[in-house]
Amino acid sequence: MTPTEKRASGNPVKQAEINLTVKQQREQRRQEKLAEYQKQLAKRRRSKLVWWAVGITGALVVVAVVVASFVFAPAPAVQYEAGGDGAEIEGVETFTNETLHVEDPVDYPQSPPAGGAHNPAWLNCGIYSEPQQNENAVHSLEHGAVWVTYDASRVTGEELDALKAEMPSSYVILSPYEDLDSPIVMSAWNAQLKLDSAADERIPQFFEEYWRNQNVPEPSATCSGAIDGPGKE
């Protein structure tokens, strides 16, 4: 007789108690195994639920990042066609200025200047928060750039932001200018337009006609690689 076997009893009542005890032990073991199985099953379910939640959260984060990249990304620069087709724009004044490289300061007939003698070094195109040297900026006009100047006391905040939003990505100079007789003045080589507001529909018209115009003295010459003026952003 093995150690785990129960000795049979000659007493029927006692034997029944022994048999019941064995059944209870078997049932207890069965219940324990069932409870352990259910515990493991619940654990696997919780694990799946956690990974499902992590996956959903990760997907939502990716979606949020993608959406934010579109919402908060800077607006692309406005695109204009280079060259011009001779369109007439109301209010544009045209001039006849010579092109000549000089080292000395120049007394220009227009303010801001729209062409004329200028420094051998051009002003690198870009957005500036401070006034720039006339002689360098005029050289940039000779290369086909447009110089947008504004009165810093009248063009500020949202108005200035609106003006910046009209700028192309290259061949443009934006800077404040002292003693302007209009809030905004757009100058190209031998052409100029005075404006009261950044919302004026003639701003893109001027760019379309004079930005990188092929009638300048040095069309398609570079507008970088020379002088960065003060306050360049």
Side-chain angles (χ1 to χ4, degrees), residues 123-213:
L123 177 68
N124 292 333
C125 289
I127 295 176
Y128 293 88
S129 61
E130 298 180 30
Q132 301 303 306
Q133 190 69 32
N134 284 337
E135 290 77 13
N136 302 116
V138 169
H139 194 153
S140 301
L141 300 186
E142 186 184 42
H143 292 186
V146 172
W147 187 12
V148 182
T149 51
Y150 62 93
D151 184 336
S153 67
R154 291 185 282 181
V155 180
T156 61
E158 293 183 357
E159 181 79 0
L160 181 55
D161 290 340
L163 184 59
K164 289 180 179 180
E166 297 288 352
M167 302 296 105
S169 60
S170 63
Y171 284 87
V172 66
I173 298 168
L174 175 67
S175 68
Y177 198 93
E178 296 179 355
D179 301 324
L180 285 181
D181 56 6
S182 295
I184 300 168
V185 180
M186 301 182 71
S187 303
W189 187 267
N190 282 340
Q192 193 167 82
L193 176 63
K194 298 179 180 180
L195 304 159
D196 293 327
S197 169
D200 197 305
E201 62 183 10
R202 291 174 295 173
I203 292 177
Q205 293 175 6
F206 191 92
F207 276 121
E208 288 287 356
E209 183 59 32
Y210 296 103
W211 181 72
R212 304 199 67 178
N213 192 290

Side-chain angles (χ1 to χ4, degrees), residues 96-102 106 108 114-118 138 142 189-190 217:
T96 302
N97 289 302
E98 64 176 348
T99 176
L100 180 67
H101 288 181
V102 297
V106 179
Y108 289 102
H118 50 270
V138 169
E142 186 184 42
W189 187 267
N190 282 340

Side-chain angles (χ1 to χ4, degrees), residues 72-86:
F72 298 105
V78 180
Q79 299 296 319
Y80 297 104
E81 292 293 333
D85 56 9

Side-chain angles (χ1 to χ4, degrees), residues 62-75:
V62 171
V63 171
V65 170
V66 172
V67 171
S69 67
F70 284 101
V71 172
F72 298 105

